Amino acid sequence: MPDLNKIDKIIKSYENTRTPLIYILKDVQKEYGLLSDEILTRVAKKTAIPLSEIYGVATFYSLFTTTAKGKHIVRCCNNAPCHVKGSKEVLDHIKSYLGVETGETTADGSFTLEFTSCLGLCAVAPVMMVDNEVYGNLTPEKAVAILKDYKMKGTSNA
Amino acid sequence: MDNVTLTIDGRKVTVPAGTSVLDAAEQVQVNIPRLCHHPDLPPVSACRLCVVEIKGDRLLRTACSWKASEGMEVTTNSKVVRESRKIAMELLLSRHPMRCTECVRNGSCELRAVADQLGIREISFEYRERKGSLDTSSLAVVRDPSKCILCRRCVQTCTMVQSVSALGMESRGYDVWVDTPFGKGLGDVACVACGQCIDRCPVGALYENSHIQRVWDALDNPNLHVVVQTAPAVRAAIGEEFGMPAGSLVTDKLVAGLRRLGFDKVFDTDFTADLTILEEGYELLGRIKNGGTLPLLTSCSPGWINFIEHFYPQLLPHVSSCKSPQQMFGALAKTYYAEKSGVNPENIYVVSIMPCTAKKYESDRAEMSSSGFRDVDAVLTTREAATMMKQIGINLPDLPNEDYDAPLGISTGAAVIFGNTGGVMEAALRTVYEVVTKKPLDNVEIKAVRGMEGVREAEVDLDGLKVRAAVANGLANARQLMEKIVAGEANYHFIEIMACPGGCIGGGGQPVPTSLEIRKKRAEAIYKADRGIKIRKSHENPAVQQLYKEFLGEPNSHKAHDLLHTHYKEKTPYTA
Ligand code: SF4
Ligand code: SF4
Ligand code: SF4
Ligand code: FES
Ligand code: FES
């Protein structure tokens, strides 16, 4: 469990700022890498701002993350050209294989599923990225097979 | 206040400055469609169904938030307005699952009504499911995010009316959704179970955790003796579920309807409301005499109890130890009534009809079973009770008038006013006055504590003993009073708090819709009920007097403490 006392110091440093929440969250995220439940609860306690409001701000700005990311980041393109070539079906299969919705991380921490907009690879649509690798001409089966490979590699490395 | 004159669709109308275009339009009989706007809440302009054209303005404006001004020329029905509304509606519908036949709001859905008003016959966009799954973690409130139309009324209600902030708006743009922090269940966060969000939701995205099946199972079980109690506020509202106007008082028909559902005895929570006045009145006098913790805070509203446990646990010593009338009733049904009727308490099943969703939570508390049996086995909201009657083909307005059963159905006018904000205070003062002064109270109507303002104060002279009283309804108003106590500025003896605006008549289990106007009409029906009862002071209730004589001894006796009093838990604002 991280040392939460630094949060109190950060909050104190914005004592005289009129709307300090965003600054506080920025510094806290820099310090801890993410804005987890226990971290934001501490911010709520110390600022007396309702947790739901803080969580709303933390999820509003994409520079904040509220959940730990998985080992691999899977980004599926959802722009029109990929959509026309069946990206929705691919995404549905990935979702059911991983058991998560977009924006979520698998329970074992191996994958985080995200959307991305056009990667400029529409010629080989539908497209997904896993970490920094691009995969095109996907079918639902192909996409799931690729993720299975990552998973296998993950376990053999461990 | 200044007036302004404007033109709406060519018709001149004069309204007070500050009136919205939406309200001004009603003056010229134009009903502008709306989904996010609610009369209890400030406008948020989220749905854009209420757009209108304003001369000289390039953009369409939302009538709910746009103020009428002098000389303004508004068009509410041009082609561009109609088309814009239609697209806004189709976009909403394209993300809505349309499972109307299995939806709790099938008969009262604002989305359906507005779709009908706009004459929607097809949806040009492909259906896309909304994020989030059914949340059944709360004992009181179920949330189905797939039906949410993002009107934000629940968030505003929870935040501004109740100052609880269990719900918030998360993320943004296309991904925006309503949720609890970190997507936990409502049962896992500091939701006080008040159900106010349900009352304002336009669709079936929020509803009570239903006990209908439980109750049918009990009624169908030949070994059970099933008794029912009705809270004061139910009789002033359930008629609305059957199309009667707000303010219809239907006590006797309610009794008839419940009897037809098959309950073995139809009793009244008003009986234990009278009892509460004696227990709590003596507690108050005891604290005043013996220098106990003051002000004394009432304890009959379980949403309020949840609130103080979560947000002001340091003030719990102020709270009366009295169980709520619902729980007192259950405890007595399984002891006193069991003895009197010769029914084995194991076979007695207690159902309550409540204007409240927090009562479901309360009935499930482990400490609510001091008799050795669970006080209350099932809690139906006013809405659920109406649903059950409809299920067996009952139309309430058609029923004959019937009377409650004795003895737990005998009550006074002081009990029925528990349904209104200020009612517990008024009932307590009626009794405390006579107990203290030993003189009859001539005018029982203590108007100083009546009304719909969020916080009210009064000082009542009891023959020299001055009782300083305060009343709050709605939890944001309760919070104001709590802050005063914390700051040491609350110079009161007795404070009545009801979690819901208007008190129980505006409860989270009452018929939808709600508004100040509707709540005022229900409150008037409650006062009418009080005037219609001969005995109007709790201590004069003969059945309560008999109960003390035969069973409890005297108010705050050892036995009364065992059965009718309770204790509270310290909680945090962040977890359940
Ligand atoms: S909320 Fe309204 S439109 Fe949606 S399923 Fe229920 S009744 Fe139908
Ligand atoms: S039940 Fe009350 S506290 Fe809970 S989410 Fe609804 S409005 Fe908020
Ligand atoms: S849950 Fe109901 S009240 Fe809340 S935003 Fe959704 S539709 Fe509106
Ligand atoms: S639309 Fe998917 S890569 Fe261009
Ligand atoms: S009612 Fe005006 S924007 Fe929704």
Side-chain angles (χ1 to χ4, degrees):
Chain A
M1 174 160 151
D3 169 19
L4 298 179
N5 290 319
K6 288 180 190 149
I7 295 174
D8 305 3
K9 252 193 236 138
I10 292 172
I11 291 171
K12 209 160 169 25
S13 72
Y14 290 105
E15 238 173 6
N16 299 317
T17 312
R18 240 162 42 93
T19 46
L21 187 56
I22 292 180
Y23 304 105
I24 292 171
L25 293 183
K26 233 171 108 183
D27 288 7
V28 170
Q29 162 132 335
K30 204 164 150 207
E31 181 65 44
Y32 297 93
L34 86 168
L35 301 174
S36 67
D37 189 356
E38 62 175 347
I39 288 170
L40 289 189
T41 300
R42 179 71 159 240
V43 175
K45 269 186 201 157
K46 291 287 160 181
T47 56
I49 299 171
L51 184 59
S52 59
E53 196 181 321
I54 296 175
Y55 183 70
V57 171
T59 53
F60 187 88
Y61 296 100
S62 47
L63 80 136
F64 296 133
T65 59
T66 52
T67 44
K69 293 265 159 110
K71 196 164 155 208
H72 302 290
I73 313 282
V74 182
R75 294 185 177 88
C76 290
C77 174
N78 67 342
N79 279 146
C82 277
H83 189 90
V84 172
K85 292 283 190 125
S87 65
K88 186 174 180 293
E89 240 200 306
V90 171
L91 181 67
D92 286 347
H93 273 74
I94 294 178
K95 278 187 192 167
S96 70
Y97 169 64
L98 296 179
V100 295
E101 290 295 311
T102 40
E104 293 177 356
T105 300
T106 54
D108 66 356
S110 52
F111 294 100
T112 298
L113 181 60
E114 291 180 347
F115 275 137
T116 172
S117 37
C118 180
L119 297 163
L121 297 162
C122 320
V124 292
V127 174
M128 75 170 175
M129 266 180 96
V130 182
D131 303 331
N132 293 319
E133 289 299 317
V134 176
Y135 300 90
N137 291 323
L138 292 176
T139 61
E141 296 71 29
K142 206 167 142 190
V144 168
I146 292 166
L147 296 182
K148 275 192 181 144
D149 271 358
Y150 273 89
K151 196 156 181 169
M152 297 267 282
K153 270 190 267 165
T155 37
S156 58
N157 285 352
Chain B
M1 210 200 295
D2 288 351
N3 285 336
V4 294
T5 299
L6 66 162
T7 320
I8 298 179
D9 299 334
R11 286 180 190 82
K12 272 213 162 41
V13 55
T14 302
V15 292
T19 306
S20 68
V21 170
L22 187 111
D23 288 337
E26 311 222 311
Q27 308 285 316
V28 288
Q29 301 82 43
V30 175
N31 176 22
I32 297 178
R34 69 205 71 175
L35 273 173
C36 64
H37 182 56
H38 189 281
D40 283 342
L41 304 167
V44 286
S45 308
C47 75
R48 298 199 57 85
L49 282 170
C50 65
V51 288
V52 294
E53 257 187 286
I54 291 169
K55 196 170 176 190
D57 204 331
R58 247 172 8 90
L59 301 173
L60 295 180
R61 298 295 181 181
T62 50
C64 62
S65 60
W66 208 251
K67 302 263 177 282
S69 64
E70 187 61 40
M72 180 185 263
E73 289 179 40
V74 181
T75 310
T76 72
N77 55 18
S78 63
K79 183 168 168 22
V80 44
V81 163
R82 291 195 314 268
E83 277 171 3
S84 168
R85 285 180 186 160
K86 195 160 167 277
I87 289 176
M89 190 63 183
E90 285 187 32
L91 281 169
L92 273 181
L93 294 172
S94 76
R95 304 213 57 186
H96 196 83
M98 292 305 167
R99 294 193 307 265
C100 307
T101 47
E102 47 186 293
C103 184
V104 55
R105 293 294 296 275
N106 192 357
S108 60
C109 175
E110 292 180 44
L111 186 66
R112 285 184 72 173
V114 174
D116 187 44
Q117 183 185 357
L118 296 180
I120 301 286
R121 292 295 173 264
E122 61 184 348
I123 298 158
S124 345
F125 307 96
E126 194 192 337
Y127 172 61
R128 281 203 46 209
E129 203 180 334
R130 292 228 189 247
K131 185 177 167 120
S133 46
L134 192 70
D135 173 11
T136 55
S137 61
S138 158
L139 292 166
V141 180
V142 178
R143 226 165 60 80
D144 181 354
S146 74
K147 287 186 184 158
C148 176
I149 60 165
L150 300 177
C151 71
R152 298 169 194 234
R153 287 181 188 174
C154 57
V155 175
Q156 280 189 299
T157 301
C158 194
T159 308
M160 301 166 74
V161 178
Q162 299 300 57
S163 73
V164 170
S165 300
L167 293 168
M169 299 303 300
E170 319 301 358
S171 196
R172 63 173 162 169
Y174 200 69
D175 285 330
V176 78
W177 85 102
V178 171
D179 209 347
T180 55
F182 294 93
K184 292 185 194 164
L186 270 182
D188 301 318
V189 299
C191 155
V192 304
C194 66
Q196 284 300 310
C197 49
I198 299 177
D199 280 357
R200 289 179 188 71
C201 183
V203 293
L206 287 162
Y207 48 94
E208 63 271 75
N209 192 336
S210 177
H211 287 185
I212 289 180
Q213 194 51 48
R214 275 195 209 183
V215 175
W216 278 127
D217 289 346
L219 289 169
D220 289 339
N221 182 340
N223 300 322
L224 289 180
H225 181 78
V226 189
V227 303
V228 66
Q229 57 168 325
T230 63
V234 176
R235 67 206 70 194
I238 194 168
E240 293 165 40
E241 289 286 332
F242 297 89
M244 297 171 85
S248 306
L249 183 67
V250 292
T251 319
D252 310 334
K253 295 184 190 296
L254 171 62
V255 173
L258 293 172
R259 218 164 258 141
R260 290 191 185 199
L261 277 172
F263 289 104
D264 293 297
K265 292 284 174 188
V266 182
F267 290 139
D268 200 351
T269 316
D270 288 20
F271 171 79
T272 35
D274 279 329
L275 185 62
T276 301
I277 289 303
L278 286 152
E279 291 295 322
E280 199 160 309
Y282 276 86
E283 186 181 5
L284 174 66
L285 291 173
R287 289 196 190 200
I288 293 177
K289 261 191 232 142
N290 309 327
T293 310
L294 290 172
L296 177 69
L297 302 172
T298 57
S299 58
C300 22
S301 163
W304 148 244
I305 292 299
N306 291 340
F307 181 83
I308 190 167
E309 287 182 328
H310 280 296
F311 297 98
Y312 292 94
Q314 74 273 30
L315 299 182
L316 282 171
H318 288 269
V319 180
S320 162
S321 62
C322 288
K323 283 183 184 174
S324 73
Q326 152 170 285
Q327 299 301 138
M328 285 194 187
F329 178 93
L332 290 176
K334 296 194 182 181
T335 53
Y336 176 61
Y337 170 73
E339 262 176 55
K340 263 183 111 75
S341 62
V343 182
N344 181 348
E346 263 177 54
N347 297 332
I348 297 180
Y349 193 90
V350 176
V351 176
S352 345
I353 315 294
M354 291 285 141
C356 179
T357 50
K359 292 277 171 199
K360 291 179 186 265
Y361 176 92
E362 180 186 46
S363 71
D364 212 65
R365 282 177 173 255
E367 61 273 21
M368 296 296 175
S369 54
S370 48
S371 68
F373 303 96
R374 183 181 159 131
D375 294 346
V376 173
D377 298 289
V379 179
L380 299 171
T381 60
T382 308
R383 298 185 291 262
E384 287 174 279
T387 300
M388 287 184 71
M389 290 184 201
K390 288 177 190 168
Q391 284 179 320
I392 59 164
I394 286 179
N395 184 34
L396 193 85
D398 298 342
L399 292 181
N401 295 340
E402 291 182 15
D403 287 332
Y404 283 105
D405 289 308
L408 305 192
I410 296 171
S411 66
T412 73
V416 76
I417 59 174
F418 266 58
N420 287 348
T421 168
V424 176
M425 180 62 71
E426 182 169 344
L429 292 173
R430 288 180 191 176
T431 286
V432 168
Y433 180 90
E434 296 204 346
V435 170
V436 171
T437 67
K438 311 246 174 353
K439 286 192 288 199
L441 178 65
D442 298 330
N443 187 2
V444 296
E445 298 192 0
I446 306 172
K447 300 250 162 75
V449 294
R450 296 187 178 183
M452 286 286 165
E453 300 78 30
V455 178
R456 304 185 295 284
E457 300 177 24
E459 190 176 88
V460 185
D461 193 330
L462 304 180
D463 236 12
L465 173 68
K466 289 199 165 66
V467 175
R468 285 183 302 277
V471 172
N473 63 112
L475 291 170
N477 297 316
R479 187 183 278 273
Q480 277 182 31
L481 280 177
M482 293 312 106
E483 286 300 322
K484 267 180 122 172
I485 299 181
V486 171
E489 292 161 6
N491 188 17
Y492 311 106
H493 296 105
F494 193 27
I495 300 182
E496 178 209 288
I497 307 234
M498 295 293 153
C500 294
C504 308
I505 48 106
Q510 292 282 61
V512 180
T514 188
S515 68
L516 180 61
E517 207 182 313
I518 291 171
R519 293 192 292 274
K520 278 183 174 159
K521 287 186 181 148
R522 292 179 190 160
E524 205 23 70
I526 289 281
Y527 288 128
K528 183 175 143 200
D530 171 31
R531 289 192 299 273
I533 299 173
K534 244 223 211 86
I535 306 178
R536 296 176 75 183
K537 297 164 201 160
S538 296
H539 55 286
E540 292 175 358
N541 181 332
V544 168
Q545 288 170 347
Q546 196 183 355
L547 167 72
Y548 277 113
K549 213 164 85 204
E550 292 178 359
F551 188 69
L552 290 173
E554 56 191 20
N556 294 351
S557 70
H558 191 72
K559 195 162 190 178
H561 259 282
D562 270 356
L563 289 175
L564 310 179
H565 292 249
T566 185
H567 54 271
Y568 307 102
K569 293 198 192 86
E570 293 196 11
K571 298 176 183 167
T572 83
Y574 307 107
T575 46

